[in-house]
Amino acid sequence: MSSRKRALCSFLSLAALLASFSARAQTAETDVDVELVLAVDASRSMEPFEQKIQRDGYIAAFRRKEVIDAIREGVHGRVAITYVEWAGSTVQRTIVPWTLIDSTESAERLAAALGQPIPSTQSRTSISGAIDYSSTLFDNNGFKGMRKVIDISGDGANNNGRPVAEAREEAVAKGITVNGLPLMTRGDFYSDWAVADLDIYYSNCVIGGPGAFMIPVNSWDQFPEAVRRKLVLELAGKETLPTILIAQNRPEYDCLSGERIWQRRMQDWESR
């Protein structure tokens, strides 16, 4: 083989090797301790001031030393987080896309991103739609987590879209844990639409997967601390929380209670 051909072969081999490295680099995933979807209720039952309390609670949490320490003390010392707001079965908005958090500075950037204007609320409550949408966000997101978690916060039961238990079970089958933050803060105006004991509803119908838990919020002044404690547990799994309920074997429970209430109220409205 001539020197020119040898040089050409060497060049082509090098080009192929570099292309291979480039392709692997483009498809490489960053290892993180957890991939976390924060899925937050933005349905019409959430008043503007309640929406602001939610956002401010997460903003404050990501500026807390305990949360940063929980992230830094993980195996990889970093997590990936995205923040989603949801309402009806077709209404989900990604407010902050997947963001790598590995320092006080990156956590501050996430907190600042949550300070953007709050969109208007939308009708209906589809926890199943929130779970289904959130489940797709793990696909090709550039991260490889030791755990995948969806955190659902909301002030009502599922009343739109497919049954929430179906969505939960499909997510769990994919290796995703679903945690909950039931907001038991609704006023008298919405009492006719609410299920009794929303925390029990969440325990039976919403949360699931390895180590799944929920933290009920009974008043809005509890919300910032509940968010902080929940994030510490989700991001590091090291804090013992006496107020949480862990998902266990579920007794017989009507996970369609939210749909039944909606149907009954609509029938009452139409009969007037």
Side-chain angles (χ1 to χ4, degrees):
M1 182 182 294
S2 67
S3 59
R4 176 177 291 184
K5 287 184 178 180
R6 283 197 297 271
L8 179 60
C9 289
S10 297
F11 173 78
L12 292 175
S13 297
L14 179 59
L17 184 61
L18 290 175
S20 175
F21 282 142
S22 177
R24 283 200 293 270
Q26 291 176 3
T27 59
E29 296 177 315
T30 301
D31 289 325
V32 294
D33 293 303
V34 61
E35 301 168 56
L36 174 62
V37 180
L38 298 173
V40 178
D41 189 354
S43 60
R44 196 152 288 163
S45 62
M46 300 294 295
E47 299 290 340
F49 81 92
E50 295 173 321
Q51 289 283 86
K52 189 173 188 307
I53 289 173
Q54 287 191 106
R55 287 278 192 94
D56 289 348
Y58 283 100
I59 290 170
F62 285 113
R63 289 172 172 161
R64 292 287 294 268
K65 181 178 183 298
E66 301 97 309
V67 174
I68 307 302
D69 288 346
I71 295 170
R72 298 288 295 274
E73 291 171 3
V75 173
H76 299 293
R78 53 182 180 262
V79 300
I81 298 175
T82 182
Y83 187 98
V84 172
E85 291 180 345
W86 56 272
S89 60
T90 61
V91 181
Q92 300 91 26
R93 300 179 291 233
T94 297
I95 304 301
V96 179
W98 285 108
T99 302
L100 181 69
I101 309 298
D102 60 358
S103 64
T104 301
E105 292 73 21
S106 57
E108 174 58 35
R109 286 193 291 271
L110 175 59
L114 289 173
Q116 61 185 282
I118 299 174
S120 60
T121 56
Q122 301 291 324
S123 63
R124 307 298 294 270
T125 298
S126 182
I127 301 174
S128 59
I131 293 174
D132 287 339
Y133 176 80
S134 298
S135 295
T136 67
L137 298 180
F138 296 104
D139 299 335
N140 303 313
N141 66 354
F143 298 99
K144 183 179 180 181
M146 298 173 66
R147 292 177 289 128
K148 293 180 172 64
V149 178
I150 298 171
D151 187 300
I152 298 285
S153 65
D155 69 347
N158 195 77
N159 62 34
N160 185 230
R162 69 172 174 152
V164 64
E166 289 183 8
R168 186 262 314 278
E169 295 306 324
E170 284 193 17
V172 170
K174 295 177 182 177
I176 299 169
T177 294
V178 182
N179 293 332
L181 192 71
L183 307 175
M184 302 168 68
T185 56
R186 306 180 82 170
D188 292 338
F189 180 81
Y190 291 106
S191 60
D192 289 341
W193 298 87
V195 300
D197 303 321
L198 186 64
D199 52 348
I200 297 175
Y201 174 87
Y202 262 65
S203 179
N204 285 276
C205 308
V206 179
I207 67 175
F213 71 94
M214 67 168 188
I215 302 180
V217 176
N218 296 299
S219 62
W220 281 113
D221 61 344
Q222 297 176 357
F223 186 80
E225 177 62 12
V227 167
R228 182 200 68 80
R229 299 173 77 192
K230 175 181 62 66
L231 285 174
V232 167
L233 188 65
E234 286 172 333
L235 298 175
K238 294 183 178 180
E239 184 175 346
T240 300
L241 304 180
T243 60
I244 68 173
L245 294 179
I246 303 295
Q248 298 173 343
N249 293 329
R250 298 173 176 83
E252 193 71 23
Y253 192 89
D254 182 12
C255 288
L256 295 175
S257 54
E259 287 86 345
R260 299 189 205 286
I261 291 172
W262 179 273
Q263 292 169 3
R264 185 175 67 250
R265 296 299 296 165
M266 289 297 98
Q267 290 169 355
D268 291 347
W269 182 268
E270 291 171 358
S271 64
R272 292 178 182 178

